[in-house]
PDB file of all heavy atoms in Angstrom:
ATOM      1  N   CYS A 246      29.658  55.112-169.538  1.00  0.00           N
ATOM      2  CA  CYS A 246      28.570  56.025-169.493  1.00  0.00           C
ATOM      3  C   CYS A 246      27.244  55.369-169.772  1.00  0.00           C
ATOM      4  O   CYS A 246      26.195  55.645-169.178  1.00  0.00           O
ATOM      5  CB  CYS A 246      28.773  57.178-170.433  1.00  0.00           C
ATOM      6  SG  CYS A 246      27.509  58.449-170.398  1.00  0.00           S
ATOM      7  N   VAL A 247      27.227  54.401-170.699  1.00  0.00           N
ATOM      8  CA  VAL A 247      25.996  53.660-171.017  1.00  0.00           C
ATOM      9  C   VAL A 247      25.527  52.859-169.799  1.00  0.00           C
ATOM     10  O   VAL A 247      24.358  52.850-169.462  1.00  0.00           O
ATOM     11  CB  VAL A 247      26.249  52.766-172.237  1.00  0.00           C
ATOM     12  CG1 VAL A 247      25.032  51.806-172.457  1.00  0.00           C
ATOM     13  CG2 VAL A 247      26.418  53.595-173.488  1.00  0.00           C
ATOM     14  N   LEU A 248      26.494  52.151-169.167  1.00  0.00           N
ATOM     15  CA  LEU A 248      26.128  51.361-168.010  1.00  0.00           C
ATOM     16  C   LEU A 248      25.631  52.210-166.843  1.00  0.00           C
ATOM     17  O   LEU A 248      24.645  51.892-166.182  1.00  0.00           O
ATOM     18  CB  LEU A 248      27.317  50.509-167.551  1.00  0.00           C
ATOM     19  CG  LEU A 248      27.831  49.495-168.621  1.00  0.00           C
ATOM     20  CD1 LEU A 248      29.021  48.774-168.113  1.00  0.00           C
ATOM     21  CD2 LEU A 248      26.749  48.486-168.978  1.00  0.00           C
ATOM     22  N   ILE A 249      26.270  53.352-166.666  1.00  0.00           N
ATOM     23  CA  ILE A 249      25.830  54.237-165.572  1.00  0.00           C
ATOM     24  C   ILE A 249      24.453  54.828-165.842  1.00  0.00           C
ATOM     25  O   ILE A 249      23.634  54.946-165.014  1.00  0.00           O
ATOM     26  CB  ILE A 249      26.924  55.341-165.356  1.00  0.00           C
ATOM     27  CG1 ILE A 249      28.167  54.735-164.791  1.00  0.00           C
ATOM     28  CG2 ILE A 249      26.371  56.428-164.472  1.00  0.00           C
ATOM     29  CD1 ILE A 249      29.292  55.711-164.666  1.00  0.00           C
ATOM     30  N   SER A 250      24.216  55.163-167.143  1.00  0.00           N
ATOM     31  CA  SER A 250      22.923  55.721-167.486  1.00  0.00           C
ATOM     32  C   SER A 250      21.808  54.695-167.324  1.00  0.00           C
ATOM     33  O   SER A 250      20.668  55.062-167.021  1.00  0.00           O
ATOM     34  CB  SER A 250      22.960  56.259-168.954  1.00  0.00           C
ATOM     35  OG  SER A 250      23.137  55.155-169.822  1.00  0.00           O
ATOM     36  N   LEU A 251      22.105  53.413-167.542  1.00  0.00           N
ATOM     37  CA  LEU A 251      21.115  52.398-167.353  1.00  0.00           C
ATOM     38  C   LEU A 251      20.908  52.102-165.867  1.00  0.00           C
ATOM     39  O   LEU A 251      19.882  51.586-165.447  1.00  0.00           O
ATOM     40  CB  LEU A 251      21.484  51.100-168.069  1.00  0.00           C
ATOM     41  CG  LEU A 251      21.516  51.192-169.595  1.00  0.00           C
ATOM     42  CD1 LEU A 251      21.971  49.870-170.162  1.00  0.00           C
ATOM     43  CD2 LEU A 251      20.175  51.569-170.171  1.00  0.00           C
ATOM     44  N   LEU A 252      21.920  52.444-165.064  1.00  0.00           N
ATOM     45  CA  LEU A 252      21.827  52.182-163.599  1.00  0.00           C
ATOM     46  C   LEU A 252      20.996  53.299-162.908  1.00  0.00           C
ATOM     47  O   LEU A 252      20.381  53.060-161.895  1.00  0.00           O
ATOM     48  CB  LEU A 252      23.188  52.124-162.998  1.00  0.00           C
ATOM     49  CG  LEU A 252      23.341  51.832-161.527  1.00  0.00           C
ATOM     50  CD1 LEU A 252      22.805  50.443-161.181  1.00  0.00           C
ATOM     51  CD2 LEU A 252      24.773  51.955-161.016  1.00  0.00           C
ATOM     52  N   ALA A 253      21.003  54.514-163.440  1.00  0.00           N
ATOM     53  CA  ALA A 253      20.368  55.649-162.822  1.00  0.00           C
ATOM     54  C   ALA A 253      18.856  55.451-162.650  1.00  0.00           C
ATOM     55  O   ALA A 253      18.289  55.736-161.574  1.00  0.00           O
ATOM     56  CB  ALA A 253      20.629  56.907-163.628  1.00  0.00           C
ATOM     57  N   PRO A 254      18.082  54.932-163.593  1.00  0.00           N
ATOM     58  CA  PRO A 254      16.681  54.751-163.391  1.00  0.00           C
ATOM     59  C   PRO A 254      16.255  53.764-162.312  1.00  0.00           C
ATOM     60  O   PRO A 254      15.133  53.756-161.807  1.00  0.00           O
ATOM     61  CB  PRO A 254      16.098  54.360-164.776  1.00  0.00           C
ATOM     62  CG  PRO A 254      17.128  54.772-165.727  1.00  0.00           C
ATOM     63  CD  PRO A 254      18.396  54.650-165.007  1.00  0.00           C
ATOM     64  N   LEU A 255      17.210  52.887-161.938  1.00  0.00           N
ATOM     65  CA  LEU A 255      16.900  51.925-160.923  1.00  0.00           C
ATOM     66  C   LEU A 255      16.730  52.531-159.544  1.00  0.00           C
ATOM     67  O   LEU A 255      16.249  51.791-158.610  1.00  0.00           O
ATOM     68  CB  LEU A 255      18.004  50.841-160.886  1.00  0.00           C
ATOM     69  CG  LEU A 255      18.202  49.969-162.133  1.00  0.00           C
ATOM     70  CD1 LEU A 255      19.347  49.031-161.926  1.00  0.00           C
ATOM     71  CD2 LEU A 255      16.925  49.266-162.470  1.00  0.00           C
ATOM     72  N   ALA A 256      16.995  53.779-159.398  1.00  0.00           N
ATOM     73  CA  ALA A 256      16.708  54.477-158.123  1.00  0.00           C
ATOM     74  C   ALA A 256      15.210  54.478-157.898  1.00  0.00           C
ATOM     75  O   ALA A 256      14.764  54.463-156.733  1.00  0.00           O
ATOM     76  CB  ALA A 256      17.241  55.885-158.148  1.00  0.00           C
ATOM     77  N   PHE A 257      14.383  54.414-158.946  1.00  0.00           N
ATOM     78  CA  PHE A 257      12.944  54.381-158.741  1.00  0.00           C
ATOM     79  C   PHE A 257      12.463  53.024-158.215  1.00  0.00           C
ATOM     80  O   PHE A 257      11.365  52.931-157.779  1.00  0.00           O
ATOM     81  CB  PHE A 257      12.184  54.753-160.037  1.00  0.00           C
ATOM     82  CG  PHE A 257      12.399  56.144-160.508  1.00  0.00           C
ATOM     83  CD1 PHE A 257      13.199  56.461-161.567  1.00  0.00           C
ATOM     84  CD2 PHE A 257      11.766  57.198-159.839  1.00  0.00           C
ATOM     85  CE1 PHE A 257      13.368  57.776-161.996  1.00  0.00           C
ATOM     86  CE2 PHE A 257      11.972  58.480-160.236  1.00  0.00           C
ATOM     87  CZ  PHE A 257      12.743  58.797-161.315  1.00  0.00           C
ATOM     88  N   LEU A 269      21.865  57.168-154.626  1.00  0.00           N
ATOM     89  CA  LEU A 269      22.196  56.586-155.881  1.00  0.00           C
ATOM     90  C   LEU A 269      22.186  57.572-157.013  1.00  0.00           C
ATOM     91  O   LEU A 269      23.098  57.575-157.846  1.00  0.00           O
ATOM     92  CB  LEU A 269      21.218  55.425-156.179  1.00  0.00           C
ATOM     93  CG  LEU A 269      21.436  54.717-157.515  1.00  0.00           C
ATOM     94  CD1 LEU A 269      22.783  54.034-157.552  1.00  0.00           C
ATOM     95  CD2 LEU A 269      20.324  53.636-157.720  1.00  0.00           C
ATOM     96  N   VAL A 273      25.574  58.646-159.194  1.00  0.00           N
ATOM     97  CA  VAL A 273      25.628  58.498-160.626  1.00  0.00           C
ATOM     98  C   VAL A 273      25.963  59.850-161.303  1.00  0.00           C
ATOM     99  O   VAL A 273      26.744  59.940-162.265  1.00  0.00           O
ATOM    100  CB  VAL A 273      24.329  57.969-161.186  1.00  0.00           C
ATOM    101  CG1 VAL A 273      24.213  58.057-162.704  1.00  0.00           C
ATOM    102  CG2 VAL A 273      24.099  56.513-160.761  1.00  0.00           C
ATOM    103  N   PHE A 434      14.039  54.573-167.917  1.00  0.00           N
ATOM    104  CA  PHE A 434      14.806  53.468-168.415  1.00  0.00           C
ATOM    105  C   PHE A 434      14.659  53.330-169.951  1.00  0.00           C
ATOM    106  O   PHE A 434      15.626  53.063-170.640  1.00  0.00           O
ATOM    107  CB  PHE A 434      14.336  52.129-167.768  1.00  0.00           C
ATOM    108  CG  PHE A 434      15.253  50.961-168.041  1.00  0.00           C
ATOM    109  CD1 PHE A 434      16.351  50.775-167.253  1.00  0.00           C
ATOM    110  CD2 PHE A 434      15.003  50.092-169.051  1.00  0.00           C
ATOM    111  CE1 PHE A 434      17.190  49.719-167.465  1.00  0.00           C
ATOM    112  CE2 PHE A 434      15.810  49.023-169.334  1.00  0.00           C
ATOM    113  CZ  PHE A 434      16.956  48.833-168.512  1.00  0.00           C
ATOM    114  N   ALA A 437      16.943  56.142-171.383  1.00  0.00           N
ATOM    115  CA  ALA A 437      18.372  55.784-171.335  1.00  0.00           C
ATOM    116  C   ALA A 437      18.666  54.680-172.334  1.00  0.00           C
ATOM    117  O   ALA A 437      19.719  54.751-172.998  1.00  0.00           O
ATOM    118  CB  ALA A 437      18.718  55.299-169.915  1.00  0.00           C
TER     119      ALA A 437
END
Side-chain angles (χ1 to χ4, degrees):
C246 182
V247 170
L248 297 177
I249 291 174
S250 65
L251 295 178
L252 183 65
L255 296 180
F257 292 108
L269 178 60
V273 170
F434 192 83

